[in-house]
Coordinates of all heavy atoms in Angstrom, one line a residue:
M1 N -63.7 -21.4 -73.3 CA -63.8 -20.0 -73.2 C -63.8 -19.6 -71.8 O -64.5 -20.1 -70.9 CB -65.1 -19.5 -73.9 CG -65.4 -18.1 -73.7 SD -64.4 -16.9 -74.5 CE -64.9 -17.2 -76.2
F2 N -62.9 -18.7 -71.4 CA -62.8 -18.2 -70.0 C -63.5 -16.8 -70.0 O -63.2 -16.0 -70.9 CB -61.3 -18.0 -69.7 CG -61.1 -17.4 -68.3 CD1 -61.1 -18.2 -67.2 CD2 -60.8 -16.0 -68.3 CE1 -60.9 -17.6 -66.0 CE2 -60.6 -15.4 -67.0 CZ -60.7 -16.2 -65.9
R3 N -64.4 -16.7 -69.1 CA -65.1 -15.4 -68.9 C -65.1 -14.9 -67.5 O -65.3 -15.7 -66.6 CB -66.6 -15.5 -69.3 CG -66.6 -15.8 -70.8 CD -68.0 -15.8 -71.4 NE -69.1 -16.3 -70.6 CZ -70.3 -15.9 -70.6 NH1 -70.7 -15.0 -71.5 NH2 -71.2 -16.4 -69.8
L4 N -64.7 -13.6 -67.3 CA -64.6 -13.0 -66.0 C -65.5 -11.9 -65.9 O -65.5 -10.9 -66.8 CB -63.1 -12.6 -65.7 CG -62.9 -12.1 -64.3 CD1 -62.8 -13.2 -63.3 CD2 -61.5 -11.4 -64.2
W5 N -66.4 -11.8 -64.9 CA -67.3 -10.7 -64.8 C -66.8 -9.8 -63.6 O -66.6 -10.2 -62.5 CB -68.7 -11.3 -64.3 CG -69.8 -10.4 -64.3 CD1 -69.9 -9.1 -64.8 CD2 -71.1 -10.6 -63.7 NE1 -71.1 -8.6 -64.6 CE2 -71.9 -9.5 -63.9 CE3 -71.6 -11.7 -63.0 CZ2 -73.2 -9.5 -63.4 CZ3 -72.9 -11.7 -62.6 CH2 -73.7 -10.5 -62.8
A6 N -66.7 -8.5 -64.0 CA -66.3 -7.4 -63.1 C -67.5 -6.5 -62.8 O -68.1 -6.1 -63.7 CB -65.1 -6.7 -63.6
K7 N -67.7 -6.2 -61.5 CA -68.8 -5.4 -61.1 C -68.3 -4.4 -60.1 O -67.5 -4.7 -59.1 CB -69.9 -6.2 -60.5 CG -70.5 -7.3 -61.4 CD -71.4 -8.2 -60.7 CE -70.5 -9.4 -60.1 NZ -71.4 -10.4 -59.5
E8 N -68.6 -3.1 -60.3 CA -68.3 -2.0 -59.4 C -69.5 -1.7 -58.6 O -70.6 -1.4 -59.1 CB -67.7 -0.9 -60.2 CG -67.0 0.2 -59.4 CD -66.5 1.2 -60.2 OE1 -65.4 1.0 -60.9 OE2 -67.1 2.4 -60.3
F9 N -69.4 -1.6 -57.2 CA -70.5 -1.3 -56.4 C -70.3 -0.1 -55.5 O -69.2 0.2 -55.1 CB -70.8 -2.5 -55.4 CG -71.4 -3.8 -56.0 CD1 -70.6 -4.7 -56.6 CD2 -72.8 -4.0 -56.0 CE1 -71.1 -5.8 -57.2 CE2 -73.3 -5.1 -56.6 CZ -72.5 -6.0 -57.2
K10 N -71.4 0.7 -55.4 CA -71.4 1.8 -54.5 C -72.7 2.0 -53.9 O -73.8 1.9 -54.5 CB -71.1 3.1 -55.3 CG -70.9 4.3 -54.5 CD -70.6 5.5 -55.4 CE -70.3 6.7 -54.4 NZ -69.8 7.9 -55.2
G11 N -72.7 2.0 -52.5 CA -74.0 2.2 -51.8 C -74.9 1.0 -52.0 O -76.2 1.2 -52.0
G12 N -74.4 -0.2 -52.1 CA -75.2 -1.4 -52.3 C -75.8 -1.6 -53.7 O -76.5 -2.5 -53.8
R13 N -75.4 -0.8 -54.6 CA -75.9 -0.9 -56.0 C -74.7 -1.1 -57.0 O -73.6 -0.5 -56.8 CB -76.7 0.3 -56.4 CG -77.9 0.5 -55.5 CD -78.6 1.7 -56.0 NE -80.0 1.5 -55.6 CZ -81.0 1.5 -56.5 NH1 -80.8 1.9 -57.8 NH2 -82.2 1.3 -56.1
M14 N -75.0 -1.9 -58.0 CA -73.9 -2.0 -59.0 C -74.0 -0.8 -59.9 O -75.0 -0.4 -60.4 CB -74.2 -3.3 -59.8 CG -73.1 -3.5 -60.9 SD -73.2 -5.1 -61.8 CE -74.9 -5.3 -62.1
V15 N -72.8 -0.1 -60.0 CA -72.8 1.1 -60.9 C -72.2 0.9 -62.3 O -72.6 1.6 -63.2 CB -72.1 2.2 -60.2 CG1 -72.7 2.8 -58.9 CG2 -70.6 1.8 -59.8
Q16 N -71.4 -0.2 -62.4 CA -71.0 -0.6 -63.8 C -70.5 -2.0 -63.7 O -70.1 -2.5 -62.7 CB -69.9 0.4 -64.3 CG -68.6 0.5 -63.6 CD -67.6 1.4 -64.3 OE1 -67.7 1.6 -65.6 NE2 -66.8 2.1 -63.6
D17 N -70.5 -2.6 -64.9 CA -70.0 -4.0 -65.0 C -69.5 -4.2 -66.4 O -69.8 -3.5 -67.3 CB -71.0 -5.0 -64.6 CG -72.2 -5.1 -65.6 OD1 -72.5 -4.2 -66.2 OD2 -72.6 -6.3 -65.8
T18 N -68.7 -5.3 -66.5 CA -68.2 -5.7 -67.8 C -67.9 -7.2 -67.7 O -67.7 -7.7 -66.6 CB -67.0 -5.0 -68.3 OG1 -66.6 -5.3 -69.6 CG2 -65.8 -5.2 -67.4
V19 N -67.8 -7.9 -68.9 CA -67.5 -9.3 -68.9 C -66.3 -9.3 -69.9 O -66.3 -8.8 -71.0 CB -68.6 -10.2 -69.4 CG1 -68.1 -11.6 -69.6 CG2 -69.7 -10.2 -68.4
I20 N -65.1 -9.9 -69.4 CA -64.0 -10.1 -70.2 C -63.9 -11.6 -70.7 O -64.0 -12.5 -69.9 CB -62.7 -9.7 -69.4 CG1 -62.8 -8.4 -68.9 CG2 -61.5 -9.9 -70.3 CD1 -62.9 -7.2 -69.9
C21 N -63.8 -11.8 -72.0 CA -63.6 -13.1 -72.5 C -62.3 -13.4 -73.0 O -61.6 -12.5 -73.6 CB -64.7 -13.3 -73.7 SG -66.4 -13.0 -73.3
D22 N -61.8 -14.6 -72.8 CA -60.4 -14.9 -73.3 C -60.4 -16.4 -73.7 O -60.7 -17.3 -72.9 CB -59.4 -14.7 -72.1 CG -58.0 -14.8 -72.5 OD1 -57.7 -15.4 -73.6 OD2 -57.1 -14.4 -71.8
D23 N -60.1 -16.6 -75.0 CA -60.2 -18.0 -75.5 C -58.8 -18.5 -75.9 O -58.6 -19.5 -76.6 CB -61.2 -18.2 -76.7 CG -60.8 -17.3 -77.8 OD1 -59.9 -16.4 -77.7 OD2 -61.5 -17.4 -78.9
R24 N -57.7 -17.7 -75.5 CA -56.4 -18.1 -75.8 C -55.9 -19.3 -75.0 O -56.5 -19.6 -73.9 CB -55.4 -16.9 -75.5 CG -55.6 -15.8 -76.4 CD -54.6 -14.7 -76.0 NE -55.4 -13.8 -75.2 CZ -55.0 -12.6 -74.9 NH1 -53.9 -12.1 -75.3 NH2 -55.8 -11.8 -74.1
E25 N -55.0 -20.0 -75.5 CA -54.4 -21.2 -74.8 C -53.4 -20.6 -73.8 O -52.2 -20.2 -74.2 CB -53.7 -22.1 -75.7 CG -54.7 -22.9 -76.7 CD -55.6 -23.8 -75.8 OE1 -55.1 -24.5 -74.8 OE2 -56.8 -23.9 -76.2
D26 N -53.7 -20.6 -72.6 CA -52.8 -20.1 -71.5 C -53.2 -20.5 -70.2 O -54.3 -21.1 -70.0 CB -52.8 -18.5 -71.6 CG -51.5 -17.9 -71.1 OD1 -50.6 -18.6 -70.5 OD2 -51.3 -16.7 -71.3
T27 N -52.5 -20.2 -69.2 CA -52.9 -20.7 -67.8 C -54.0 -19.8 -67.3 O -54.2 -18.7 -67.7 CB -51.7 -20.5 -66.8 OG1 -51.3 -19.2 -66.7 CG2 -50.5 -21.3 -67.3
R28 N -54.7 -20.3 -66.4 CA -55.9 -19.6 -65.7 C -55.4 -18.3 -65.0 O -56.0 -17.3 -65.2 CB -56.5 -20.6 -64.7 CG -57.7 -19.9 -64.0 CD -58.3 -20.9 -63.0 NE -59.6 -20.5 -62.6 CZ -59.9 -20.1 -61.3 NH1 -58.9 -20.0 -60.4 NH2 -61.1 -19.7 -61.0
T29 N -54.2 -18.4 -64.4 CA -53.6 -17.2 -63.7 C -53.4 -16.1 -64.7 O -53.7 -14.9 -64.5 CB -52.4 -17.6 -62.9 OG1 -52.7 -18.7 -62.0 CG2 -51.8 -16.4 -62.2
H30 N -52.8 -16.5 -65.9 CA -52.5 -15.4 -66.8 C -53.7 -14.8 -67.4 O -53.8 -13.6 -67.6 CB -51.6 -16.0 -68.0 CG -50.2 -16.2 -67.6 ND1 -49.6 -17.4 -67.8 CD2 -49.3 -15.4 -67.0 CE1 -48.4 -17.3 -67.3 NE2 -48.1 -16.2 -66.9
K31 N -54.8 -15.6 -67.6 CA -56.0 -15.1 -68.1 C -56.7 -14.2 -67.1 O -57.2 -13.1 -67.5 CB -57.0 -16.2 -68.4 CG -56.6 -17.1 -69.6 CD -57.6 -18.2 -69.8 CE -57.1 -19.1 -71.0 NZ -58.1 -20.1 -71.3
I32 N -56.6 -14.5 -65.8 CA -57.1 -13.6 -64.8 C -56.4 -12.3 -64.7 O -57.0 -11.2 -64.7 CB -57.1 -14.3 -63.4 CG1 -58.1 -15.5 -63.4 CG2 -57.5 -13.3 -62.3 CD1 -57.9 -16.5 -62.2
F33 N -55.1 -12.3 -64.7 CA -54.4 -11.1 -64.7 C -54.5 -10.2 -65.9 O -54.6 -9.0 -65.9 CB -52.9 -11.4 -64.5 CG -52.6 -11.8 -63.1 CD1 -51.6 -12.8 -62.8 CD2 -53.1 -11.2 -62.0 CE1 -51.3 -13.2 -61.5 CE2 -52.9 -11.6 -60.7 CZ -51.9 -12.6 -60.5
R34 N -54.7 -10.8 -67.1 CA -54.9 -10.1 -68.4 C -56.3 -9.4 -68.3 O -56.5 -8.3 -68.7 CB -54.8 -10.9 -69.6 CG -53.4 -11.0 -70.3 CD -53.5 -11.5 -71.6 NE -54.1 -12.7 -71.8 CZ -53.5 -14.0 -71.7 NH1 -52.3 -14.0 -71.5 NH2 -54.2 -15.0 -71.9
A35 N -57.2 -10.2 -67.8 CA -58.6 -9.7 -67.7 C -58.6 -8.5 -66.7 O -59.3 -7.5 -67.0 CB -59.6 -10.8 -67.3
L36 N -58.0 -8.7 -65.6 CA -57.9 -7.6 -64.6 C -57.3 -6.3 -65.1 O -57.8 -5.2 -64.9 CB -57.2 -8.0 -63.3 CG -57.2 -7.0 -62.1 CD1 -58.6 -6.6 -61.8 CD2 -56.4 -7.6 -61.0
D37 N -56.3 -6.5 -65.9 CA -55.6 -5.3 -66.7 C -56.6 -4.6 -67.5 O -56.8 -3.4 -67.6 CB -54.4 -5.7 -67.5 CG -53.2 -6.1 -66.6 OD1 -53.2 -5.8 -65.4 OD2 -52.4 -6.8 -67.2
E38 N -57.4 -5.4 -68.3 CA -58.4 -4.9 -69.2 C -59.6 -4.1 -68.5 O -60.0 -3.1 -68.8 CB -59.0 -5.9 -70.1 CG -59.8 -5.4 -71.3 CD -60.2 -6.5 -72.3 OE1 -59.4 -7.5 -72.4 OE2 -61.2 -6.3 -72.9
I39 N -59.9 -4.8 -67.3 CA -61.0 -4.2 -66.5 C -60.5 -2.8 -65.9 O -61.3 -1.8 -66.0 CB -61.3 -5.1 -65.3 CG1 -62.1 -6.3 -65.8 CG2 -62.1 -4.4 -64.2 CD1 -62.0 -7.6 -65.0
C40 N -59.3 -2.8 -65.5 CA -58.7 -1.5 -64.9 C -58.7 -0.4 -66.0 O -59.0 0.8 -65.7 CB -57.4 -1.7 -64.3 SG -57.5 -2.7 -62.8
V41 N -58.4 -0.8 -67.2 CA -58.5 0.2 -68.4 C -59.9 0.7 -68.6 O -60.2 1.9 -68.6 CB -57.8 -0.4 -69.6 CG1 -58.1 0.5 -70.8 CG2 -56.3 -0.6 -69.4
Q42 N -60.8 -0.2 -68.7 CA -62.2 0.1 -69.0 C -62.8 1.0 -67.9 O -63.6 1.9 -68.2 CB -63.1 -1.2 -69.1 CG -62.8 -1.8 -70.5 CD -63.8 -3.0 -70.7 OE1 -64.9 -3.1 -70.0 NE2 -63.4 -4.0 -71.5
F43 N -62.6 0.6 -66.6 CA -63.1 1.4 -65.5 C -62.2 2.5 -65.0 O -62.5 3.2 -64.1 CB -63.3 0.4 -64.3 CG -64.4 -0.6 -64.4 CD1 -65.1 -0.7 -65.6 CD2 -64.6 -1.5 -63.5 CE1 -66.2 -1.6 -65.7 CE2 -65.7 -2.5 -63.5 CZ -66.4 -2.6 -64.7
D44 N -61.1 2.8 -65.7 CA -60.2 3.8 -65.3 C -59.7 3.7 -63.9 O -59.8 4.7 -63.1 CB -60.8 5.2 -65.7 CG -59.7 6.3 -65.6 OD1 -58.6 6.1 -65.9 OD2 -60.1 7.4 -65.2
L45 N -59.2 2.6 -63.5 CA -58.8 2.3 -62.1 C -57.2 1.9 -62.1 O -56.7 1.4 -63.1 CB -59.5 1.0 -61.6 CG -61.0 1.1 -61.4 CD1 -61.5 -0.3 -61.0 CD2 -61.3 2.2 -60.4
G46 N -56.6 2.1 -61.0 CA -55.3 1.6 -60.8 C -55.5 0.1 -60.5 O -56.5 -0.4 -60.1
K47 N -54.4 -0.7 -60.7 CA -54.5 -2.2 -60.4 C -54.6 -2.4 -58.9 O -53.8 -1.8 -58.2 CB -53.3 -2.9 -61.0 CG -53.4 -3.3 -62.4 CD -52.2 -3.8 -63.0 CE -52.1 -5.3 -62.7 NZ -50.9 -5.9 -63.4
P48 N -55.5 -3.2 -58.5 CA -55.7 -3.6 -57.1 C -54.6 -4.5 -56.7 O -54.0 -5.3 -57.5 CB -57.0 -4.2 -57.0 CG -57.4 -4.7 -58.3 CD -56.7 -3.8 -59.3
I49 N -54.2 -4.5 -55.4 CA -53.2 -5.4 -54.9 C -54.0 -6.7 -54.4 O -55.0 -6.6 -53.7 CB -52.5 -4.8 -53.7 CG1 -51.8 -3.5 -54.2 CG2 -51.6 -5.7 -53.0 CD1 -51.3 -2.6 -53.1
W50 N -53.5 -7.9 -54.8 CA -54.1 -9.1 -54.3 C -53.6 -9.4 -52.9 O -52.5 -9.8 -52.7 CB -53.6 -10.3 -55.2 CG -54.4 -10.2 -56.6 CD1 -54.1 -9.6 -57.6 CD2 -55.5 -11.0 -56.9 NE1 -54.9 -9.8 -58.7 CE2 -55.8 -10.7 -58.3 CE3 -56.4 -11.9 -56.3 CZ2 -57.0 -11.2 -58.9 CZ3 -57.4 -12.5 -56.9 CH2 -57.7 -12.1 -58.2
L51 N -54.5 -9.2 -51.9 CA -54.2 -9.5 -50.6 C -54.4 -11.0 -50.3 O -55.0 -11.6 -51.1 CB -55.1 -8.6 -49.6 CG -55.0 -7.1 -49.8 CD1 -56.0 -6.5 -48.9 CD2 -53.6 -6.6 -49.5
D52 N -53.8 -11.5 -49.3 CA -53.9 -13.0 -49.0 C -55.4 -13.4 -48.9 O -55.9 -14.4 -49.4 CB -53.3 -13.3 -47.7 CG -51.8 -13.2 -47.8 OD1 -51.2 -13.3 -48.9 OD2 -51.1 -13.1 -46.8
A53 N -56.3 -12.5 -48.3 CA -57.7 -12.8 -48.2 C -58.3 -12.9 -49.6 O -59.2 -13.8 -49.8 CB -58.4 -11.7 -47.4
N54 N -58.0 -12.0 -50.5 CA -58.4 -12.1 -51.9 C -58.1 -13.4 -52.6 O -58.9 -14.0 -53.3 CB -57.9 -10.9 -52.7 CG -58.4 -9.5 -52.2 OD1 -57.6 -8.8 -51.7 ND2 -59.7 -9.2 -52.3
I55 N -56.8 -13.8 -52.4 CA -56.3 -15.0 -53.0 C -57.1 -16.2 -52.6 O -57.6 -17.0 -53.3 CB -54.8 -15.1 -52.8 CG1 -54.0 -14.0 -53.5 CG2 -54.3 -16.5 -53.3 CD1 -52.6 -13.9 -53.2
R56 N -57.2 -16.3 -51.2 CA -58.0 -17.4 -50.6 C -59.4 -17.5 -51.1 O -59.9 -18.5 -51.4 CB -57.9 -17.3 -49.1 CG -56.6 -17.8 -48.5 CD -56.7 -18.0 -47.0 NE -57.2 -16.8 -46.3 CZ -56.4 -15.8 -45.9 NH1 -55.2 -15.8 -46.1 NH2 -56.9 -14.8 -45.3
E57 N -60.1 -16.3 -51.0 CA -61.5 -16.3 -51.5 C -61.6 -16.7 -53.0 O -62.5 -17.4 -53.4 CB -62.0 -14.8 -51.2 CG -63.4 -14.7 -51.4 CD -63.9 -13.3 -51.2 OE1 -63.1 -12.3 -51.4 OE2 -65.1 -13.1 -50.9
F58 N -60.7 -16.1 -53.8 CA -60.8 -16.4 -55.2 C -60.5 -17.9 -55.5 O -61.3 -18.6 -56.3 CB -59.8 -15.6 -56.0 CG -60.2 -15.5 -57.4 CD1 -61.1 -14.6 -57.9 CD2 -59.5 -16.2 -58.4 CE1 -61.5 -14.5 -59.3 CE2 -59.8 -16.1 -59.7 CZ -60.8 -15.3 -60.1
Q59 N -59.6 -18.5 -54.8 CA -59.3 -19.9 -55.0 C -60.5 -20.8 -54.5 O -60.8 -21.8 -55.2 CB -58.1 -20.3 -54.2 CG -56.7 -19.8 -54.8 CD -55.6 -20.1 -53.9 OE1 -55.7 -20.2 -52.7 NE2 -54.4 -20.1 -54.5
R60 N -61.1 -20.4 -53.4 CA -62.2 -21.2 -52.9 C -63.6 -21.0 -53.7 O -64.3 -22.0 -53.9 CB -62.5 -20.8 -51.4 CG -62.3 -21.9 -50.5 CD -62.6 -21.5 -49.1 NE -61.3 -21.3 -48.3 CZ -60.9 -20.3 -47.7 NH1 -61.7 -19.2 -47.5 NH2 -59.8 -20.3 -47.1
H61 N -63.9 -19.7 -54.1 CA -65.2 -19.5 -54.6 C -65.2 -19.0 -56.1 O -66.2 -18.6 -56.6 CB -65.9 -18.5 -53.7 CG -66.0 -18.9 -52.3 ND1 -66.8 -20.0 -51.9 CD2 -65.4 -18.5 -51.2 CE1 -66.7 -20.1 -50.6 NE2 -65.8 -19.2 -50.2
D62 N -64.0 -18.8 -56.7 CA -63.9 -18.2 -58.0 C -64.5 -16.8 -58.0 O -65.0 -16.3 -59.0 CB -64.6 -19.0 -59.1 CG -63.8 -20.3 -59.5 OD1 -62.6 -20.4 -59.2 OD2 -64.4 -21.2 -60.0
K63 N -64.4 -16.1 -56.9 CA -65.0 -14.8 -56.7 C -64.2 -14.0 -55.6 O -63.8 -14.6 -54.6 CB -66.4 -14.9 -56.3 CG -67.2 -13.7 -56.2 CD -68.6 -14.1 -55.8 CE -69.6 -12.9 -55.7 NZ -71.0 -13.4 -55.5
T64 N -64.0 -12.8 -55.8 CA -63.4 -12.0 -54.7 C -63.8 -10.5 -54.8 O -64.3 -10.1 -55.9 CB -61.9 -12.0 -54.7 OG1 -61.3 -11.5 -53.5 CG2 -61.2 -11.3 -55.9
R65 N -63.6 -9.7 -53.7 CA -64.0 -8.3 -53.7 C -62.7 -7.6 -53.4 O -62.0 -7.9 -52.4 CB -65.0 -8.0 -52.8 CG -66.4 -8.6 -53.1 CD -67.4 -8.2 -52.0 NE -68.7 -8.7 -52.4 CZ -69.8 -8.5 -51.8 NH1 -69.7 -8.0 -50.5 NH2 -70.9 -8.9 -52.2
F66 N -62.4 -6.4 -54.1 CA -61.3 -5.5 -53.8 C -61.9 -4.3 -53.2 O -62.6 -3.6 -53.9 CB -60.6 -5.2 -55.1 CG -59.8 -6.4 -55.7 CD1 -60.3 -7.0 -56.8 CD2 -58.7 -6.9 -55.1 CE1 -59.6 -8.1 -57.4 CE2 -57.9 -8.0 -55.6 CZ -58.5 -8.6 -56.8
S67 N -61.6 -4.0 -51.9 CA -62.1 -2.7 -51.3 C -61.0 -1.7 -51.4 O -59.9 -1.9 -52.0 CB -62.6 -3.0 -49.9 OG -61.5 -3.6 -49.1
Q68 N -61.1 -0.6 -50.6 CA -60.1 0.4 -50.6 C -58.8 -0.1 -50.1 O -57.7 0.4 -50.6 CB -60.6 1.6 -49.7 CG -59.6 2.7 -49.5 CD -59.3 3.4 -50.8 OE1 -60.2 4.0 -51.4 NE2 -58.1 3.4 -51.3
D69 N -58.7 -1.1 -49.2 CA -57.5 -1.7 -48.8 C -56.6 -2.2 -49.9 O -55.5 -2.3 -49.8 CB -57.7 -2.8 -47.8 CG -58.4 -2.3 -46.5 OD1 -58.4 -1.1 -46.3 OD2 -59.0 -3.1 -45.8
S70 N -57.2 -2.6 -51.0 CA -56.5 -3.2 -52.1 C -56.0 -2.2 -53.2 O -55.2 -2.6 -54.1 CB -57.4 -4.2 -52.9 OG -57.8 -5.3 -52.0
F71 N -56.4 -0.9 -53.0 CA -56.0 0.1 -54.0 C -55.1 1.1 -53.3 O -55.3 1.5 -52.2 CB -57.2 0.8 -54.5 CG -58.1 0.0 -55.4 CD1 -59.2 -0.7 -54.9 CD2 -57.9 -0.1 -56.7 CE1 -60.0 -1.5 -55.6 CE2 -58.7 -0.9 -57.6 CZ -59.7 -1.5 -57.0
V72 N -54.0 1.6 -54.0 CA -53.1 2.6 -53.6 C -53.8 4.0 -53.5 O -53.7 4.7 -52.5 CB -51.9 2.6 -54.4 CG1 -51.0 3.8 -54.0 CG2 -51.1 1.3 -54.4
E73 N -54.5 4.3 -54.6 CA -55.1 5.6 -54.7 C -56.6 5.4 -54.2 O -57.2 4.3 -54.0 CB -55.3 6.0 -56.1 CG -56.2 5.3 -57.1 CD -55.7 4.0 -57.6 OE1 -54.5 3.7 -57.5 OE2 -56.5 3.2 -58.0
E74 N -57.2 6.6 -53.9 CA -58.6 6.7 -53.4 C -59.5 6.2 -54.4 O -59.4 6.6 -55.6 CB -58.8 8.1 -53.0 CG -60.1 8.3 -52.1 CD -59.9 7.7 -50.7 OE1 -58.8 7.7 -50.2 OE2 -60.9 7.3 -50.1
I75 N -60.5 5.5 -54.0 CA -61.6 5.0 -55.0 C -62.9 5.7 -54.6 O -63.1 6.0 -53.5 CB -61.7 3.5 -55.0 CG1 -62.0 2.9 -53.6 CG2 -60.4 2.8 -55.6 CD1 -62.3 1.4 -53.6
D76 N -63.7 5.8 -55.6 CA -65.1 6.5 -55.4 C -66.2 5.5 -55.4 O -67.3 5.9 -55.7 CB -65.2 7.6 -56.4 CG -65.4 7.1 -57.8 OD1 -65.0 6.0 -58.1 OD2 -65.9 7.9 -58.6
F77 N -65.8 4.2 -55.1 CA -66.9 3.3 -55.0 C -66.6 2.4 -53.7 O -65.5 2.5 -53.1 CB -67.0 2.4 -56.2 CG -65.7 1.8 -56.7 CD1 -65.3 0.6 -56.2 CD2 -64.8 2.5 -57.5 CE1 -64.0 0.0 -56.6 CE2 -63.6 2.0 -57.9 CZ -63.2 0.7 -57.4
D78 N -67.5 1.5 -53.3 CA -67.3 0.6 -52.2 C -66.4 -0.5 -52.4 O -65.5 -0.8 -51.6 CB -68.6 0.1 -51.7 CG -69.5 1.2 -51.2 OD1 -69.0 2.3 -50.8 OD2 -70.7 1.1 -51.3
Y79 N -66.5 -1.3 -53.5 CA -65.7 -2.4 -53.8 C -65.8 -2.8 -55.3 O -66.9 -2.5 -56.0 CB -65.9 -3.6 -53.0 CG -67.3 -4.1 -53.0 CD1 -67.7 -5.1 -53.9 CD2 -68.3 -3.7 -52.1 CE1 -69.0 -5.7 -53.9 CE2 -69.6 -4.2 -52.1 CZ -69.9 -5.2 -53.1 OH -71.2 -5.7 -53.1
L80 N -64.8 -3.5 -55.8 CA -64.8 -4.1 -57.2 C -64.9 -5.6 -57.0 O -64.0 -6.2 -56.2 CB -63.5 -3.7 -57.9 CG -63.3 -4.4 -59.2 CD1 -64.2 -3.9 -60.3 CD2 -61.8 -4.1 -59.7
E81 N -65.8 -6.2 -57.6 CA -66.0 -7.7 -57.4 C -65.7 -8.4 -58.7 O -66.1 -7.9 -59.8 CB -67.4 -8.0 -57.0 CG -67.7 -9.5 -56.8 CD -69.1 -9.7 -56.4 OE1 -69.4 -9.4 -55.1 OE2 -69.9 -10.1 -57.1
L82 N -64.8 -9.4 -58.7 CA -64.5 -10.2 -59.8 C -65.1 -11.6 -59.6 O -65.0 -12.2 -58.4 CB -62.9 -10.4 -60.0 CG -62.1 -9.1 -60.1 CD1 -60.7 -9.5 -60.3 CD2 -62.7 -8.3 -61.3
Q83 N -65.7 -12.2 -60.7 CA -66.2 -13.5 -60.6 C -66.0 -14.3 -61.9 O -66.3 -13.7 -63.0 CB -67.7 -13.4 -60.3 CG -68.4 -14.8 -60.2 CD -69.9 -14.6 -59.9 OE1 -70.4 -13.5 -59.7 NE2 -70.6 -15.7 -59.7
V84 N -65.4 -15.5 -61.8 CA -65.3 -16.4 -62.9 C -66.7 -16.9 -63.3 O -67.3 -17.5 -62.4 CB -64.3 -17.5 -62.7 CG1 -64.2 -18.4 -63.9 CG2 -62.9 -16.9 -62.5
I85 N -67.1 -16.7 -64.5 CA -68.5 -17.2 -64.9 C -68.4 -18.4 -65.9 O -69.4 -19.1 -66.0 CB -69.5 -16.1 -65.4 CG1 -68.8 -15.3 -66.5 CG2 -69.8 -15.2 -64.2 CD1 -69.8 -14.3 -67.1
E86 N -67.3 -18.6 -66.4 CA -67.1 -19.7 -67.3 C -65.6 -20.0 -67.5 O -64.8 -19.2 -67.6 CB -67.7 -19.4 -68.7 CG -67.7 -20.5 -69.6 CD -68.3 -20.1 -71.0 OE1 -68.9 -19.1 -71.2 OE2 -68.0 -20.9 -72.0
E87 N -65.4 -21.3 -67.5 CA -64.0 -21.8 -67.8 C -64.0 -22.9 -68.8 O -64.9 -23.6 -69.0 CB -63.3 -22.3 -66.5 CG -62.8 -21.2 -65.6 CD -61.9 -21.7 -64.6 OE1 -60.7 -21.9 -64.9 OE2 -62.3 -21.8 -63.4

């Protein structure tokens, strides 16, 4: 079971979160991208851009933060954090 935890933070506080579960037979990358698509729908967000720093951080720690730099449109929160909690 693959589980990805998404948390939206504003002013140092978590304002919303969700956990996406995926038990399909597929690559880890595909599961992450599908989960991110679902998170964006639930949180009513545009898809963030994976910057090189996000990719390195996610590969190293199974966790990354998307700030305003990763979004094309203006966001009303400080950052969106993704964390793999189970593989």
Side-chain angles (χ1 to χ4, degrees):
M1 173 69 69
F2 176 83
R3 294 189 322 153
L4 186 73
W5 187 14
K7 300 170 270 188
E8 194 176 282
F9 286 86
K10 184 174 184 174
R13 299 180 150 235
M14 183 171 45
V15 291
Q16 65 178 330
D17 72 322
T18 187
V19 175
I20 306 297
C21 301
D22 191 342
D23 60 354
R24 291 178 266 195
E25 291 295 322
D26 207 349
T27 65
R28 180 178 195 249
T29 303
H30 285 127
K31 290 179 181 184
I32 292 166
F33 287 139
R34 265 197 311 270
L36 184 55
D37 288 344
E38 192 172 329
I39 290 161
C40 290
V41 169
Q42 285 185 23
F43 289 0
D44 192 27
L45 298 173
K47 271 173 85 169
I49 299 165
W50 286 83
L51 303 174
D52 290 339
N54 295 110
I55 295 168
R56 282 192 305 273
E57 185 180 29
F58 199 78
Q59 288 171 336
R60 242 183 253 129
H61 306 290
D62 287 339
K63 183 178 182 178
T64 192
R65 290 181 177 177
F66 295 104
S67 61
Q68 179 63 61
D69 294 342
S70 297
F71 291 91
V72 174
E73 72 281 343
E74 194 71 27
I75 57 173
D76 64 344
F77 54 91
D78 297 332
Y79 60 88
L80 172 68
E81 183 176 282
L82 300 182
Q83 180 179 3
V84 175
I85 54 176
E86 184 180 347
E87 283 194 75

